[in-house]
Amino acid sequence: MKSICFNYESTGSPDFLTSFGISLGVEPTGNSLYIPSINGSGVIFRKEIDKGMLLVSSDIRLTK
């Protein structure tokens, strides 16, 4: 089984969605990363709502 691990500090990185998407084999769409059905389901959303303030929301279920 493949492990995916990231810390909360990494979500602040501008390339967070891209790097996490690489591990799942998908590219982000705008501020969102949609989990491909082969790996599970759900979405991770990241948006800077004010300078230095990020909103990161996820509702994902990984099966592989």
Side-chain angles (χ1 to χ4, degrees):
M1 176 188 257
K2 182 178 178 181
S3 295
I4 298 175
C5 180
F6 64 94
N7 61 39
Y8 288 106
E9 291 174 2
S10 69
T11 61
S13 169
D15 66 341
F16 165 70
L17 289 180
T18 302
S19 60
F20 191 55
I22 288 170
S23 67
L24 298 174
V26 295
E27 291 187 26
T29 303
N31 293 329
S32 302
L33 180 67
Y34 295 90
I35 307 303
S37 59
I38 194 166
N39 292 329
S41 63
V43 64
I44 299 173
F45 175 79
R46 179 189 181 280
K47 183 171 182 170
E48 186 171 12
I49 55 176
D50 202 356
K51 184 168 177 70
M53 183 178 288
L54 292 174
L55 172 65
V56 179
S57 172
S58 66
D59 180 15
I60 62 173
R61 180 176 298 243
L62 300 175
T63 56
K64 286 188 174 181

